């Protein structure tokens, strides 16, 4: 199946985006004002707008315009996320199961996932919503399950990465990695990052992992400060199941982090399984979106003027 699904302008105007959700986590008055301005713009252009509960209350909106995130997922055909990539990650994990596209207005720093420039917000929204100049890209998520003596007892999902690490700083982790239930390698390190292509420009990149284009069906296994010079990042098929077991002598408290936002406490006797989630993140991009331009702008690469 293609990673990109194109929708016609007739669908935009008549079917797809009649109801639009507006979400985020404003940390300043200027950010809250952006929510208010976008709400007014959408309302004036004839869209049904539903705003995440806490934001709607701060804006003193009528109750008919306010909804929980799950209600927005059930009712909206598009969700606009105002904030940085952290906001997008949090909303994406919760909204992926509703199969609706998300587009972000960047109020953060890097903005790999938030396309709309805050200085061109309304021109870009008009191009997207009024003229149908967009496409929708699907990206897979990861699901992590923690299995104890009595079966799976905890789980979570991640857009960028799953990180297995000791709960205490500067503690070495001794573990064994299995891929599709076959032993792959043992390692002593500060932990292991299992990154999606989306997450390859996040924590994984800081740890020396490879950049993977979003259309790749692949996972990157990136060691964190390994206790050997021969350890290197490993890229595997995206449909693989990665299982992590810990050495019998290991007694230190452990954690599994998802996108640095969700933490699962685990025991050394547990097995951690990571594989694709059944749900996908659907990102809406303007037609002029170019992933390589995003990389160049965000990572400070030199532009070719030829």
């Amino acid at each position: 199946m293609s990673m990109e699904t194109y929708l016609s302008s007739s669908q935009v105007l008549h079917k797809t985006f009649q109801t639009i959700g507006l979400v985020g986590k404003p940390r300043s008055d200027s950010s809250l004002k952006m929510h208010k301005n976008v709400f007014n713009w959408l309302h004036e252009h004839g869209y049904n707008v539903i705003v995440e509960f806490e934001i709607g209350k701060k804006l003193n909106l009528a109750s008919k315009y306010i909804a929980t995130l799950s209600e927005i997922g059930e009712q909206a055909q598009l969700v606009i996320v105002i904030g940085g990539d952290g906001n997008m990650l949090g909303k994406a994990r919760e909204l992926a199961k509703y199969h609706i596209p998300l587009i972000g207005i960047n109020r953060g720093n890097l903005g790999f996932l938030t396309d709309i420039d805050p200085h061109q917000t309304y021109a870009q929204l008009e191009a997207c919503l009024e003229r149908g100049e967009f496409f929708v890209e699907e990206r897979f998520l990861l699901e992590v399950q923690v299995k104890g003596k009595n079966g799976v007892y905890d789980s979570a999902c991640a857009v960028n990465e799953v990180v297995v690490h000791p709960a205490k700083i500067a503690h070495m982790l001794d573990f064994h990695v299995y891929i599709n239930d076959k032993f792959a390698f043992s390692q002593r390190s500060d932990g292991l990052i299992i990154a999606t292509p989306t997450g390859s420009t996040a924590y994984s990149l800081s740890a020396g992992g490879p950049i993977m284009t979003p259309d790749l069906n692949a996972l990157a296994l990136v060691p964190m400060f390994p206790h050997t010079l021969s350890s290197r990042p490993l890229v595997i098929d995206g449909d693989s199941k990665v299982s992590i077991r810990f050495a019998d002598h290991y007694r230190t408290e452990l954690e599994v982090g998802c996108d640095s936002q969700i933490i699962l406490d685990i025991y050394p006797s547990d097995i951690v399984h990571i594989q694709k989630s059944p749900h996908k993140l659907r990102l809406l991009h303007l037609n002029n979106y170019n992933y390589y331009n995003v990389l160049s702008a965000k990572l400070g690469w030199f532009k070719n003027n030829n």
Side-chain angles (χ1 to χ4, degrees):
M1 183 178 69
S2 171
M3 292 295 289
E4 295 179 355
T5 304
Y6 291 86
L7 305 177
S8 70
S9 59
S10 62
Q11 286 178 297
V12 178
L13 296 176
H14 302 297
K15 295 181 181 179
T16 309
F17 302 146
Q18 294 176 355
T19 300
I20 297 177
L22 189 59
V23 306
K25 193 175 182 181
R27 297 178 180 176
S28 65
D29 291 341
S30 61
S31 182
L32 187 61
K33 184 178 179 181
M34 171 68 81
H35 284 81
K36 179 65 172 179
N37 291 341
V38 172
F39 171 84
N40 289 336
W41 188 94
L42 293 170
H43 190 66
E44 290 167 2
H45 283 74
Y47 296 97
N48 299 321
V49 190
I50 44 179
V51 181
E52 196 171 3
F53 187 84
E54 290 186 7
I55 300 170
K57 287 295 185 182
K58 289 180 180 179
L59 295 177
N60 296 315
L61 297 178
S63 59
K64 65 179 180 179
Y65 298 119
I66 300 175
T68 64
L69 195 60
S70 60
E71 289 171 337
I72 289 174
E74 292 168 354
Q75 298 174 34
Q77 290 87 47
L78 171 70
V79 172
I80 298 175
V81 182
I82 300 178
D85 282 353
N87 269 326
M88 177 65 82
L89 291 172
K91 306 307 178 185
R93 286 194 305 271
E94 296 189 58
L95 293 170
K97 62 185 176 183
Y98 298 103
H99 311 294
I100 54 177
L102 283 67
I103 188 167
I105 299 175
N106 185 19
R107 297 286 298 181
N109 294 316
L110 284 178
F112 278 101
L113 297 175
T114 48
D115 285 8
I116 293 182
D117 185 335
H119 303 295
Q120 303 180 51
T121 297
Y122 305 107
Q124 292 183 341
L125 283 177
E126 183 172 355
C128 166
L129 301 178
E130 301 292 293
R131 300 199 298 271
E133 298 173 2
F134 71 88
F135 65 94
V136 176
E137 176 192 33
E138 291 185 343
R139 301 189 183 186
F140 70 84
L141 284 69
L142 292 178
E143 181 178 49
V144 55
Q145 294 184 331
V146 181
K147 185 177 181 180
K149 295 179 180 179
N150 298 318
V152 174
Y153 70 87
D154 209 351
S155 64
C157 68
V159 177
N160 276 347
E161 73 279 308
V162 173
V163 183
V164 180
H165 60 91
K168 296 180 180 179
I169 297 174
H171 277 242
M172 190 71 69
L173 188 61
D174 196 344
F175 59 93
H176 315 291
V177 176
Y178 295 77
I179 299 173
N180 295 327
D181 298 320
K182 295 180 179 178
F183 174 75
F185 59 89
S186 294
Q187 188 173 91
R188 296 189 72 221
S189 68
D190 283 8
L192 184 69
I193 302 169
I194 300 92
T196 66
T198 300
S200 69
T201 52
Y203 194 19
S204 170
L205 184 64
S206 299
I211 294 175
M212 301 186 290
T213 57
D215 57 340
L216 284 179
N217 182 32
L219 295 173
L221 277 58
V222 183
M224 301 166 61
F225 298 102
H227 199 60
T228 172
L229 295 177
S230 63
S231 181
R232 293 292 183 269
L234 175 65
V235 178
I236 63 175
D237 187 275
D239 292 316
S240 302
K241 180 179 74 171
V242 178
S243 302
I244 301 173
R245 299 171 182 261
F246 305 96
D248 291 339
H249 63 80
Y250 201 80
R251 293 293 179 267
T252 303
E253 295 178 350
L254 302 168
E255 292 179 348
V256 176
C258 296
D259 297 333
S260 300
Q261 294 181 343
I262 297 176
I263 300 296
L264 306 180
D265 294 320
I266 59 176
Y267 301 97
S269 58
D270 292 338
I271 303 173
V272 180
H273 297 295
I274 303 106
Q275 59 188 356
K276 270 185 181 178
S277 166
H279 307 300
K280 292 184 178 180
L281 166 60
R282 305 184 73 225
L283 287 175
L284 188 145
H285 300 295
L286 293 167
N287 279 349
N288 62 0
Y289 171 84
N290 182 331
Y291 177 72
Y292 300 103
N293 286 345
V294 174
L295 282 181
S296 179
K298 305 306 180 183
L299 300 181
W301 292 352
F302 291 105
K303 184 177 181 181
N304 184 359
N305 294 319
N306 296 330

